[in-house]
Amino acid sequence: MRFSNILSRGVRNANGGLSYWRNPIYPVYDENGDYYLTNASDFSHPMAITDLQKNETKSLDVISSVALEWQLFPFLKLTSQLNYKFGKSVSDRYYPKKYTEAGEFSNGQAEIENWEGHNLVSETFANFQKKFDKHDIGAMVGYSYEYYMSRSSGLTGKDFVNEALGNENMGAGNPEKNEIWNGYSDNKLVSGMFRLNYVYDNKYLLTLTARADGSSKFGKNNKWAMFPSGAVSWKAHEESFIKNLNVFDELKFRFSYGISGNQGISPYQTLSRYGTDKYYNDGSWATTIGPGYVSGWTGPGWIYRVWSGIPNPDLKWETTAQADFGIDMAFLNRRLRVSFDYYDKQTSDLLRERNLALSSGYDKMWVNDGKIQNRGFEVTVDADILQTKDWQLSGTLIYSRNRNKVKDLGNTLESGLVTDPMTGMLFEYSGNSLEQYRDYTNILAIGQPVNVFYGYKVDGIVQTLNEGIDAGLSGDYANPGEFKYMNLNGDSEISEADKTIIGDPNPDFTASLALNLSWKKFDVSVFLNGVFGQDVLNTKAFGEPSNSPLRWTPDNPTNKYPSLRDGRQVKISDWWIEDGSFLRVQNLNIGYTFDLPKKSFLSKARIYMNASNLYTFTKFKGYDPEVGLDGVYSGGYPRLRKWTFGLDLTF
């Protein structure tokens, strides 16, 4: 029997809004002793935010686990484990009337948020293991139950008469402007599983598995799904004709095929959802309740609500079928080890939000629709390169390559797919539109990789008004110093019809290298990882300070950077696309192990230095080329470099 219990408390003070781009020569205070502001809308003074704004979260976490094992027979063991996690947090925020945007707009704003979560997981397994002559049989049957519940609530107060106590006195706010909300969510997952392992003569291996999963997130008729898989392998190096070659220390062939499921959606999507809203009527605020709720915001400045709430009782599991072929090899007394895997993965019945017709009164609805294909391979090479009395050198190289493709997005009319006028390509916009472009950056297009960039192509900078007009531009876009967008369809104007695929955020390949070197009592290890061939949309390329002196002027008619102009509405184009390839020295560790007297109370003593995120080789102009799956870089803070010095003592 094993039991563990972990309790942790935390306090976090968040200072969101500290502007790394703020000019460092700005003074902290003005001549009156107040915090220095560049203008009336300067809400990014780091000292003012740190000293006056409150944003504190206190948390409590408890993780408990108990496990029991019964050896019923020499060949049969029963294992049961119960895990429970409890979490609770309270967030206090106060935005003063001055120096903060929310506080100035609301004449002081206070917020209190409470959250509580419970996660219970119970698992029971029976394992059978028996060997008969050349036959080795293992079997497992099991049951799993998981329950998750979260509850939250919040109160916002505004328009404070006195803000001396901040959010410790919410009653000092205007009661007519109080905002109250709360939320509740729970879901259950029940699973039954079976596995059979069979080995004959330590050469031929067979594994069969099956699991049935039931999720409360799906409709009455689709809660349960079966996910089978199977694998076979052959240890060819155990065959006499392979041994006689005196080449392989290991030669193993593997093949597997299986189906897995995904239930990664929020609960209650199969049910009709209700929401509330407030409106001003006859001199007072009124609250209404009815079908539908606001699930998000979109559009320029997030001014458009995304209206959801239509039930889909037919929602079911998203499924992925994957076939894998692999080879494991070892040579030179296992000093050189190579593994190769090729896979073909087909994901169908995608769980995704479909755009709805305007006549429905809703914007989006969760459906099972679409297919995505992933194919690729991975090669791993392990080598003990050097082994002498004083020197040891080993390394691991991993190379992987993946190609994905959108194969289907459902019915063209029902899904609201858009047709590219030049190529006939069917697609839908992905993610949210960016206010910077007032447009979407990514699309899901049939026959194309996932999340490709879609926009205009740029052919330098407009040098004269006539050049801009001849290029099909009009208005401010035709002026000298503006982007020269390309007229791809050959008509007389630049329009949505000139958009095309302008980049791919998916990498060509990824690779990593780990090296371990030791000499006598010294040891060094280094880990490098890289991602190569992906495009990154750098939304901050326009405002980099280093670009300002390079902008277009009549005296500097460059074709690379546009002129400085307030109020310019840029379009999403390939000018923002950069090569996001990088090679990062992720970790470096250097240590020395001391010789200790035989009668020492210590068995080992080692001093070390560890550096993480040591250096990144890249042509990307932003702080960090490692971004999300959509390939959009939105700025932020540079990745931290961390140095650690330590001493390991073993007693």
Side-chain angles (χ1 to χ4, degrees):
M1 179 177 179
R2 302 188 306 274
F3 174 78
S4 67
N5 189 70
I6 301 173
L7 185 148
S8 61
R9 290 180 176 272
V11 177
R12 179 182 180 183
N13 288 283
N15 274 343
L18 300 184
S19 301
Y20 66 89
W21 48 263
R22 191 178 182 88
N23 195 323
I25 68 172
Y26 288 161
V28 177
Y29 304 100
D30 60 20
E31 61 274 9
N32 298 321
D34 298 323
Y35 291 108
Y36 175 82
L37 301 179
T38 59
N39 54 62
S41 300
D42 183 0
F43 302 112
S44 59
H45 194 297
M47 293 299 297
I49 293 175
T50 302
D51 294 341
L52 303 177
Q53 176 180 291
K54 181 176 184 178
N55 192 343
E56 181 183 84
T57 298
K58 295 181 180 179
S59 61
L60 170 67
D61 290 287
V62 179
I63 302 175
S64 299
S65 176
V66 59
L68 301 173
E69 287 188 359
W70 295 276
Q71 192 72 46
L72 301 178
F73 301 98
F75 53 84
L76 183 62
K77 182 170 68 175
L78 189 66
T79 302
S80 184
Q81 183 164 327
L82 180 67
N83 300 314
Y84 173 70
K85 180 179 180 181
F86 169 80
K88 185 176 183 179
S89 67
V90 179
S91 297
D92 289 290
R93 305 185 190 97
Y94 187 78
Y95 305 97
K97 300 177 183 180
K98 192 175 182 182
Y99 304 116
T100 65
E101 184 173 13
E104 182 169 301
F105 180 78
S106 302
N107 197 32
Q109 179 169 314
E111 300 173 358
I112 295 179
E113 293 183 8
N114 297 276
W115 174 86
E116 183 177 299
H118 303 261
N119 190 199
L120 176 69
V121 179
S122 174
E123 298 175 324
T124 301
F125 302 96
N127 289 278
F128 172 88
Q129 193 71 44
K130 192 76 173 178
K131 191 171 184 179
F132 309 91
D133 297 327
K134 295 183 178 182
H135 307 275
D136 194 348
I137 300 175
M140 181 276 293
V141 292
Y143 168 84
S144 174
Y145 171 84
E146 182 173 355
Y147 172 75
Y148 177 79
M149 184 275 283
S150 68
R151 192 164 195 165
S152 57
S153 62
L155 171 65
T156 299
K158 300 179 180 180
D159 194 12
F160 279 72
V161 176
N162 185 299
E163 54 181 353
L165 296 178
N167 67 337
E168 298 300 333
N169 184 15
M170 300 284 279
N174 187 338
E176 292 186 358
K177 296 184 178 181
N178 285 348
E179 298 176 5
I180 303 173
W181 62 268
N182 68 298
Y184 176 89
S185 175
D186 71 357
N187 63 87
K188 300 174 183 177
L189 178 65
V190 180
S191 305
M193 55 208 77
F194 167 78
R195 183 181 69 240
L196 173 66
N197 293 322
Y198 174 70
V199 181
Y200 176 73
D201 199 22
N202 197 33
K203 298 179 184 178
Y204 314 105
L205 296 85
L206 170 68
T207 299
L208 298 174
T209 64
R211 62 179 297 150
D213 292 298
S215 173
S216 63
K217 296 180 179 180
F218 299 116
K220 180 179 179 180
N221 298 324
N222 296 311
K223 291 185 184 297
W224 288 88
M226 178 69 71
F227 304 108
S229 66
V232 294
S233 57
W234 173 35
K235 294 183 179 180
H237 59 274
E238 296 290 345
E239 304 288 355
S240 57
F241 67 91
I242 297 295
K243 292 180 179 179
N244 293 336
L245 296 176
N246 293 321
V247 174
F248 299 97
D249 297 306
E250 179 183 11
L251 179 61
K252 182 179 180 180
F253 297 92
R254 299 176 278 106
F255 177 78
S256 63
Y257 178 83
I259 300 175
S260 59
N262 174 32
Q263 54 145 358
I265 59 173
S266 301
Y268 316 124
Q269 302 302 328
T270 61
L271 306 176
S272 182
R273 304 285 296 277
Y274 281 71
T276 61
D277 203 356
K278 293 183 178 181
Y279 63 96
Y280 197 74
N281 180 50
D282 196 22
S284 63
W285 286 95
T287 301
T288 182
I289 184 171
Y293 71 102
V294 178
S295 61
W297 301 81
T298 187
W302 310 105
I303 60 175
Y304 301 123
R305 297 183 178 188
V306 178
W307 204 254
S308 304
I310 289 185
N312 183 358
D314 297 324
L315 271 182
K316 59 184 179 180
W317 288 81
E318 176 183 297
T319 57
T320 298
Q322 178 170 336
D324 185 282
F325 173 74
I327 304 175
D328 298 324
M329 297 174 287
F331 310 89
L332 306 174
N333 292 323
R334 301 194 63 83
R335 290 184 60 181
L336 177 63
R337 303 168 295 280
V338 180
S339 292
F340 172 84
D341 281 275
Y342 174 82
Y343 59 87
D344 187 334
K345 183 163 61 174
Q346 307 284 339
T347 302
S348 57
D349 295 325
L350 293 175
L351 285 169
R352 66 190 192 90
E353 287 187 288
R354 174 195 290 169
N355 295 317
L356 300 176
L358 295 177
S359 58
S360 69
Y362 294 85
D363 295 306
K364 291 181 180 292
M365 173 184 177
W366 279 96
V367 297
N368 291 100
D369 212 355
K371 296 180 181 178
I372 291 180
Q373 170 186 284
N374 280 271
R375 286 178 176 169
F377 66 89
E378 180 174 292
V379 178
T380 302
V381 179
D382 286 297
D384 299 323
I385 303 170
L386 179 64
Q387 289 182 331
T388 67
K389 178 182 177 182
D390 295 328
W391 291 92
Q392 289 82 38
L393 175 62
S394 63
T396 300
L397 174 66
I398 300 176
Y399 175 94
S400 60
R401 181 184 178 113
N402 181 76
R403 293 290 181 270
N404 61 47
K405 181 191 295 186
V406 178
K407 301 191 70 176
D408 184 30
L409 290 173
N411 183 281
T412 303
L413 293 177
E414 290 182 355
S415 300
L417 299 183
V418 182
T419 301
D420 182 90
M422 287 189 292
T423 64
M425 173 183 69
L426 295 174
F427 69 90
E428 70 175 23
Y429 290 101
S430 176
N432 292 311
S433 66
L434 295 184
E435 181 180 2
Q436 179 172 344
Y437 310 110
R438 298 197 173 185
D439 204 349
Y440 291 85
T441 57
N442 304 87
I443 62 171
L444 295 176
I446 297 177
Q448 298 294 332
V450 175
N451 282 333
V452 290
F453 298 116
Y454 188 71
Y456 299 89
K457 284 186 172 292
V458 169
D459 184 21
I461 304 299
V462 177
Q463 301 298 322
T464 65
L465 179 61
N466 288 335
E467 180 184 347
I469 295 174
D470 292 341
L473 299 167
S474 60
D476 290 336
Y477 290 114
N479 289 330
E482 298 297 317
F483 288 114
K484 186 179 178 182
Y485 298 106
M486 296 179 63
N487 186 1
L488 297 183
N489 66 352
D491 62 10
S492 59
E493 62 178 357
I494 301 296
S495 65
E496 292 274 329
D498 294 302
K499 282 186 174 182
T500 187
I501 292 176
I502 56 175
D504 182 2
N506 300 283
D508 292 336
F509 67 93
T510 63
S512 66
L513 175 64
L515 294 172
N516 298 284
L517 173 67
S518 64
W519 176 69
K520 294 185 178 181
K521 299 297 181 179
F522 291 94
D523 62 271
V524 179
S525 64
V526 61
F527 177 70
L528 302 93
N529 72 293
V531 183
F532 305 90
Q534 76 279 20
D535 292 322
V536 174
L537 181 75
N538 185 358
T539 64
K540 301 301 180 181
F542 205 65
E544 292 177 357
S546 59
N547 290 347
S548 298
L550 306 176
R551 298 294 188 92
W552 185 96
T553 65
D555 297 327
N556 180 39
T558 177
N559 250 317
K560 189 172 183 181
Y561 296 101
S563 62
L564 285 169
R565 180 171 72 83
D566 286 337
R568 175 187 281 119
Q569 179 56 59
V570 296
K571 299 177 182 290
I572 172 67
S573 69
D574 60 350
W575 186 87
W576 306 88
I577 304 295
E578 297 182 21
D579 180 8
S581 301
F582 69 90
L583 175 64
R584 174 171 288 138
V585 184
Q586 189 70 47
N587 197 79
L588 173 66
N589 188 286
I590 302 174
Y592 179 81
T593 302
F594 294 93
D595 284 322
L596 298 174
K598 293 184 178 180
K599 295 184 179 181
S600 172
F601 64 94
L602 293 175
S603 61
K604 183 180 179 181
R606 178 178 178 268
I607 189 172
Y608 67 91
M609 182 279 295
N610 188 83
S612 60
N613 186 35
L614 195 59
Y615 192 80
T616 300
F617 300 91
T618 183
K619 294 181 180 179
F620 182 68
K621 297 175 183 177
Y623 282 128
D624 190 356
E626 192 169 3
V627 295
L629 296 178
D630 61 0
V632 177
Y633 172 80
S634 300
Y637 294 96
R639 185 181 292 258
L640 296 178
R641 180 176 295 120
K642 182 179 179 182
W643 299 84
T644 304
F645 297 87
L647 176 66
D648 288 334
L649 301 177
T650 304
F651 298 91

